[in-house]
Amino acid sequence: MNNNAGRLIVALDLADPLRAKSLAEELSPLGIGFKVGLELYMAGGPALVAELASCYRLFLDLKFHDIPNTAAAAVREAASLGIWMLNLHASGGKAMLLAAREAVESLRHKPLLIAVTMLTSIGDHDLAEIGLSGSTTENVILMARLAAQCGFDGVVCSPLEVAAVKAAVSESFITVTPGIRTGGAEKFDQQRVAAPADVIASGGDYLVVGRPITGAADPFLAAGRIIADMEVAR
Ligand code: C5P
C-alpha cells in the first residue's frame, strides 16, 4: 500500500456506540480504517459491528482463543458481519489456526486472518511468569511462522518486531502494530512502542492507534499528525 493514511487503523475504544460512530464519521474523510475491540463490542454488539463494517474497513479485534470448533464457529459468525480483518491468538495452537483458516475458505467475503503474537503490553520480564522461555522477539517469530504455515495473512506484533517478522516469513506477510506513540506521548499500559515513522521505515503495514487519538482534544488533528509522521519515513 502506497497511501499512508490507509495504513492507519483507529481503535474505537469507547463504551458509547454513538460516540464511536460519530468519531468514525469525523475521521473517515482521512481514508483510514477502524477497529472494534472488546469494550465497544460489549457495548454495541454485532449489530454495531455490521453497521460500521458497511461504511468503513473494519478490523474486529476480539482475539479469539478457544478450542478449534468454537473458534472456527466464532470466525464464521464474525465474517458474516462484513468485516475486513479479524484476529485470533496464535497461542491457541495449530489446530485452532487451521480450523479458523478453513472456516473462511469457502466464504464469498473472506476477511483477512491475523494472529496475535505477544500482546504489546507484555515485556521480556513478564514471560517467565506465564511459563514462556526466550525473549518476546523469539516468541513473536515462532508464532508468526506458525500463523504463516496455517495460511494466515499476517500477525499483530509490536513495532519493534516488524523487520524480524518480515525477514522470518516474507515481505508480503502483513504486520499490524499497536503500541504506536509519537514523541513523549503517554505509553499507558503499552511496553513495546515506537513512532509511526519508525514502523514505516521497518516495513510495517498497518498501525493501530487508540488513546493518542480517541483521547485527544482534536482527534482529527491527532490522526492527521500520525499520518504526517509516517510521511517522514518516505
Ligand atoms: O490506546 P492504544 O493506542 O494503546 O490502543 C492500542 C489498541 O490495540 C487497543 O485497542 C488494544 O486492545 C489493541 N491491541 C494491542 N496489542 C495487541 C493487540 C491489540 O494493544 N497485541
Side-chain angles (χ1 to χ4, degrees):
M1 172 175 301
N2 297 317
N3 154 16
N4 280 335
R7 296 180 185 280
L8 178 60
I9 301 173
V10 171
L12 298 170
D13 291 335
L14 301 163
D16 177 353
L18 286 179
R19 261 196 72 209
K21 282 198 277 185
S22 74
L23 181 63
E25 206 177 316
E26 180 193 342
L27 299 179
S28 68
L30 291 167
I32 62 179
F34 295 97
K35 178 173 93 65
V36 171
L38 290 167
E39 182 184 16
L40 185 57
Y41 184 78
M42 293 313 297
L48 175 68
V49 172
E51 189 182 340
L52 290 168
S54 70
C55 304
Y56 316 112
R57 274 181 303 133
L58 196 76
F59 171 19
L60 184 62
D61 176 24
L62 296 183
K63 302 185 183 69
F64 297 140
H65 188 169
D66 212 314
I67 59 170
N69 185 59
T70 306
V75 164
R76 230 173 277 120
E77 287 306 311
S80 75
L81 301 175
I83 54 173
W84 163 61
M85 179 187 279
L86 71 93
N87 60 3
L88 298 95
H89 273 286
S91 57
K94 193 176 198 169
M96 185 201 74
L97 297 174
L98 287 172
R101 179 76 253 168
E102 208 184 310
V104 299
E105 225 43 87
S106 57
L107 302 178
R108 199 164 47 87
H109 169 80
K110 281 194 193 75
L112 292 170
L113 276 187
I114 302 293
V116 180
T117 54
M118 303 289 307
L119 295 173
T120 38
S121 53
I122 298 250
D124 279 339
H125 57 275
D126 298 309
L127 296 183
E129 272 173 11
I130 54 172
L132 293 176
S133 55
S135 66
T136 43
T137 305
E138 284 164 345
N139 280 283
V140 166
I141 288 170
L142 198 82
M143 291 194 220
R145 285 205 174 110
L146 176 66
Q149 278 166 21
C150 295
F152 271 53
D153 299 291
V155 286
V156 183
C157 62
S158 98
L160 310 179
E161 292 118 24
V162 167
V165 164
K166 296 273 182 183
V169 181
S170 74
E171 275 307 312
S172 60
F173 194 59
I174 296 171
T175 59
V176 179
T177 51
I180 307 297
R181 297 292 183 264
T182 46
E186 175 71 65
K187 279 167 82 172
F188 300 106
D189 51 355
Q190 300 285 19
Q191 294 199 44
R192 301 185 341 267
V193 302
D198 297 332
V199 184
I200 300 301
S202 55
D205 299 292
Y206 295 105
L207 287 71
V208 173
V209 185
R211 288 160 290 187
I213 293 175
T214 56
D218 184 341
F220 190 88
L221 194 70
R225 283 203 179 117
I226 288 180
I227 295 165
D229 192 295
M230 288 188 222
E231 305 291 343
V232 172
R234 310 204 100 213

